[in-house]
Every structure is written in structure tokens, then in C-alpha cells.
């Protein structure tokens, strides 16, 4: 997920990378040890194993989201440009999204999201915003960056989540196997 905005990958591949890292890898994390590697001979799986595998799944999904944010910040840090943007459209759905254009008429892609400065209650078409955007369109724009972007600040969270995934996945898998041999 980190590489998607940093390289930058084309839009279709960015979506596929998020799908793989946030859904397919966590699903495989559970299915491989639980279903494919060993048939569970006991009638009732151990609760500790199930809890450990659930923790590993949740940690893997959170890891995908955090690495995506870190990659967006790295991309904006390396090639981001400040621009006065005009709000063209505001989508007031589950999460607000704003379509932006620069003063010279170029569309800023992807859309500005709710957490990055698009609040449907505060922003309306025609408003001007100062945003930091990625000219290649791989990282989402942000408004009013407080201080500097710090993509390296995610290292501890990424390392901790990766260690948690390994520990919880290993514990869950070994508990399933150990329980079957008792």
C-alpha cells in the first residue's frame, strides 16, 4: 500500500493493491492455517486460537490503512505542490468528497476527502481552498497541513502492527495445531 502513491501506480493498480492488502492478505492469513494447512480434528476450536487469528486480521487491515496514509504523505512530501483550488462539486454522502480544480482549470485528482478538508457543512461549490496536491494524481490532496508532513512517523506503528500480525497469526495457527494433537 505504501508503494501505490509513492511510485505512483496507475489508478486501477492502486485500487487492486488496496483490495489485496486490506482484504485478501488478511483473509489468507486465516484461511491458510485454519482450512488448507491442517484439518482440525477436534469438534470445538480453541477460543485462544480464534481470538489470535481475529486480532491478526484486524491488525492486517489497520496496517493496510496506515501504510496507505504514510505513502500518501511521502508522495506529497516528495512531489506535492501548493495551489489555490476552487471547489467544483461537494458530494455529501457517507463521507464527504470535494471535486477541485486549479485556477488554470486542471482537475485535481483524486478528490479531497472529509478528513483532509472537505466538510459538506462548511464547504460549497465556488469556495477557494489552499491545498497540497500530487500532480501525478496518486496521493490525495490535503488542505492546511499543520506543520510538515512526517511520513517517517508511521514507522513505529507499521513495525508494531507487523510484529502483532506475525505473533498473533503464529499463536493462532500453533494453537489450532497443538489442540488437534492432544
Amino acid at each position: 500500500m505504501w508503494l501505490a502513491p509513492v511510485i505512483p501506480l496507475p489508478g486501477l493498480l492502486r485500487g487492486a493493491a488496496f483490495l489485496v492488502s486490506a482484504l485478501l492478505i488478511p483473509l489468507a492469513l486465516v484461511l491458510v492455517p485454519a482450512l488448507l494447512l491442517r484439518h482440525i480434528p477436534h469438534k470445538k476450536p480453541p477460543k485462544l486460537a480464534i481470538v489470535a487469528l481475529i486480532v491478526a486480521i484486524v491488525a492486517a487491515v489497520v496496517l493496510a490503512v496506515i501504510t496507505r496514509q504514510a505513502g500518501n504523505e511521502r508522495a506529497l512530501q516528495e512531489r506535492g505542490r501548493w495551489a489555490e483550488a476552487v471547489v467544483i462539486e461537494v458530494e455529501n454522502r457517507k463521507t464527504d468528497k470535494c471535486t477541485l480544480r486549479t485556477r488554470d482549470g486542471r482537475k485535481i485528482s483524486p478528490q479531497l476527502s472529509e478528513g483532509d478538508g472537505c466538510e459538506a457543512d462548511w464547504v460549497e461549490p465556488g469556495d477557494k481552498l489552499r491545498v497540497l496536491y500530487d500532480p501525478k494524481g496518486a496521493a490525495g490532496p490535503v488542505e492546511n497541513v499543520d506543520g510538515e508532513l512526517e511520513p517517517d512517523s508511521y514507522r513505529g506503528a507499521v513495525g508494531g502492527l507487523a510484529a502483532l500480525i506475525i505473533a498473533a497469526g503464529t499463536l493462532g495457527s500453533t494453537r489450532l495445531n497443538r489442540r488437534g494433537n492432544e
Side-chain angles (χ1 to χ4, degrees):
M1 273 318 307
W2 186 83
L3 292 174
V6 173
I7 288 183
L9 295 177
L12 183 61
L13 289 178
R14 280 194 310 268
F18 187 72
L19 178 69
V20 167
S21 65
L23 295 175
L24 297 181
I25 291 173
L27 186 61
L29 182 70
V30 171
L31 291 179
V32 169
L35 301 176
L36 299 178
L37 293 180
R38 180 171 178 98
H39 175 69
I40 303 171
H42 44 81
K43 293 180 182 174
K44 190 173 180 184
K47 289 180 185 176
L48 179 62
I50 293 171
V51 169
L53 292 175
I54 290 172
V55 166
I57 290 173
V58 171
V61 172
V62 171
L63 180 64
V65 172
I66 286 177
T67 54
R68 181 181 190 176
Q69 183 62 31
N72 279 339
E73 285 193 19
R74 173 68 71 195
L76 288 174
Q77 184 182 44
E78 290 178 0
R79 63 178 180 271
R81 292 188 185 152
W82 284 101
E84 287 289 325
V86 178
V87 177
I88 303 301
E89 180 183 3
V90 178
E91 295 178 15
N92 188 2
R93 296 183 182 172
K94 194 174 189 180
T95 59
D96 300 336
K97 298 276 187 184
C98 293
T99 303
L100 304 173
R101 290 199 187 276
T102 60
R103 285 187 164 182
D104 60 359
R106 286 182 288 138
K107 184 177 178 183
I108 294 177
S109 178
Q111 295 175 311
L112 182 66
S113 64
E114 182 176 6
D116 294 324
C118 178
E119 302 286 333
D121 297 336
W122 299 92
V123 178
E124 56 186 41
D127 286 353
K128 293 180 181 176
L129 303 173
R130 181 166 162 76
V131 296
L132 180 63
Y133 77 101
D134 178 11
K136 294 191 177 191
V142 293
E143 179 194 26
N144 296 333
V145 177
D146 296 331
E148 292 186 23
L149 296 172
E150 296 181 15
D152 294 335
S153 66
Y154 293 95
R155 284 184 182 173
V158 168
L161 284 169
L164 178 62
I165 292 166
I166 292 168
T170 302
L171 175 67
S173 298
T174 56
R175 290 296 295 174
L176 284 176
N177 289 335
R178 191 179 309 150
R179 177 77 177 204
N181 294 332
E182 291 177 359

